[in-house]
Amino acid sequence: NIMVTIKLLLDTRKPNKDSLFPICLRIYHSGKASIRSTKIYIREDQWNEEKKTIRSNHPHAPTLNRRLTKDLADLQSQLLFANEETVKEYLAPKIVEPIKETEPEPKLTVYGFANELILDLKTDNRIGNAWVYESTVNALKGYHPNQELYFEQIDYKFLDGYNKFLLRRGVKQNTAFLYLRTLRAFYNKAIKHKIIDRNLYPFHDFTIKGEKTKKRAIDKEIISQIIKLDLPRESTIWHVRNWFMLSFYLIGISFVDLALITNKNIKGNRLCYNRQKTGKSYDIKLLPQARMILDCYKNSPYGYLLPIINRKTESVTERLRLIKDRNRLVNKYLSRLADIIKTEAITTYTAR
């Protein structure tokens, strides 16, 4: 049999720029030695020399130790039963050569990677999604303000701490759920871009749960009361009621899509449009009540049927931000409507 001995070791001769040392496989054959790096770098105090394993003070010790065991087993199966010629051929290029550490490529931080994703979304005019990503990044910076946050640092302990941090700051459970779900999306994309090892995925152990939202559908009696209200024509609250009722008659069209309707979307007795958020096509019958409301807005400026967009906008981002601001104003007036008829809070979402 060919005598080949393979051992794991921590090469402490020269640390990398992060002051970490490589774990290597040392191969002995015919009185000569060769070293192969496992490309795993750790601190000296994280290595158990006696057991040849990574200590538990490393955040990913179990995962990395499994990887080391696999690497060792793979190399043993490759060399222990190989013939002399195969072993020599494998070892020849690097026998007794000093380790030349190659400078690793700069690692992309979580924030750096997220900013790339946000830029892509904005380039594709997916502004709503970009805002969600930006909100997630801002929330994450509240918990970890240091810009040098790497995906390797996101483990169960990090996620649990972040979730508790959000809830203790008064963030609603569903908002915390959104932030964590989006962070998970960042991680999944980072795996696909080979930025982080799939074996380090922390979300298998951390369950993300949202809170069931109370049904906010409005009943017919409330609708009837809203319609009967005597409101000053052309007042802000009058317009708000019109837009709310129009959303109701158009089977719950979103406020964003309502704001973006133009004459081109009216095809005879039908409203045809693509939803801004998903791109899905809708073809809705225009009820007489909806027609009556639309007839109040025949001369709206800026190219849209309704004066929700009430000034000139230069870009999709600016336009959607204006609609978001107007939605906030509309909800404020809908709250006043609810007070007048003495009912629970009404929002633009209620009509859906």
Side-chain angles (χ1 to χ4, degrees), residues 83-118:
N83 58 37
E84 180 88 23
E85 188 179 337
T86 302
V87 174
K88 282 183 177 179
E89 186 179 333
Y90 181 83
L91 299 179
K94 296 177 183 176
I95 291 178
V96 200
E97 284 185 7
I99 296 175
K100 293 180 181 178
E101 186 178 327
T102 55
E103 193 68 28
E105 289 183 19
K107 285 177 69 176
L108 200 55
T109 66
V110 174
Y111 298 132
F113 182 62
N115 286 334
E116 288 184 5
L117 297 177
I118 290 165

Side-chain angles (χ1 to χ4, degrees), residues 123-352:
T123 302
D124 295 337
N125 277 332
R126 296 171 62 191
I127 308 302
N129 288 50
W131 286 346
V132 171
Y133 279 27
E134 285 176 338
S135 298
T136 299
V137 168
N138 291 335
L140 191 58
K141 284 180 178 176
Y143 179 63
H144 194 285
N146 187 337
Q147 286 291 328
E148 290 194 4
L149 173 64
Y150 297 97
F151 283 101
E152 287 83 355
Q153 293 170 252
I154 300 177
D155 54 12
Y156 176 86
K157 185 178 178 182
F158 182 96
L159 293 171
D160 188 50
Y162 179 41
N163 188 42
K164 287 174 180 173
F165 166 81
L166 291 171
L167 297 177
R168 286 167 184 166
R169 285 186 67 189
V171 174
K172 291 182 180 179
Q173 188 172 334
N174 279 348
T175 304
F177 168 70
L178 174 66
Y179 290 152
L180 285 160
R181 190 181 65 187
T182 309
L183 179 57
R184 183 177 64 187
F186 293 169
Y187 205 106
N188 287 333
K189 290 177 187 294
I191 289 173
K192 290 178 180 177
H193 283 79
K194 309 297 183 188
I195 294 168
I196 182 70
D197 190 331
R198 187 181 298 274
N199 292 324
L200 299 180
Y201 192 67
F203 291 93
H204 291 312
D205 302 316
F206 186 81
T207 305
I208 303 175
K209 286 185 178 178
E211 193 174 45
K212 282 192 175 180
T213 307
K214 182 182 175 183
K215 187 173 169 60
R216 289 174 281 187
I218 195 166
D219 65 41
K220 290 180 181 178
E221 179 57 33
I222 302 294
I223 290 289
S224 179
Q225 289 181 52
I226 291 172
I227 293 170
K228 289 175 183 176
L229 282 175
D230 186 16
L231 302 172
R233 189 176 176 85
E234 299 298 332
S235 65
T236 302
I237 200 167
W238 178 83
H239 286 296
V240 165
R241 178 182 58 186
N242 284 349
W243 302 339
F244 177 82
M245 291 309 305
L246 197 52
S247 178
F248 177 76
Y249 294 135
L250 297 175
I251 63 169
I253 186 173
S254 76
F255 189 75
V256 173
D257 294 324
L258 189 67
L260 294 173
I261 290 173
T262 69
N263 277 315
K264 291 179 181 178
N265 297 116
I266 307 295
K267 312 285 186 186
N269 249 355
R270 315 287 300 181
L271 173 70
C272 305
Y273 71 98
N274 293 326
R275 192 175 178 201
Q276 170 73 26
K277 185 176 180 180
T278 62
K280 184 178 177 182
S281 297
Y282 286 85
D283 184 342
I284 303 166
K285 182 179 179 181
L286 283 173
L287 298 173
Q289 299 96 317
R291 274 283 187 191
M292 283 178 63
I293 294 173
L294 288 174
D295 285 344
C296 297
Y297 298 101
K298 285 195 176 291
N299 299 310
S300 292
Y302 308 112
Y304 301 97
L305 276 181
L306 305 175
I308 295 172
I309 296 174
N310 60 349
R311 60 177 171 81
K312 188 177 179 182
T313 53
E314 300 294 338
S315 66
V316 174
T317 301
E318 186 185 350
R319 193 152 46 251
L320 290 179
R321 199 170 293 282
L322 171 60
I323 294 170
K324 193 176 181 181
D325 290 341
R326 296 283 279 169
N327 189 42
R328 200 175 292 117
L329 176 71
V330 167
N331 281 332
K332 178 181 171 183
Y333 277 91
L334 285 174
S335 181
R336 292 184 189 176
L337 275 179
D339 289 341
I340 294 171
I341 62 176
K342 295 181 173 55
T343 188
E344 292 182 359
I346 300 171
T347 69
T348 51
Y349 197 86
T350 310
R352 303 174 67 189

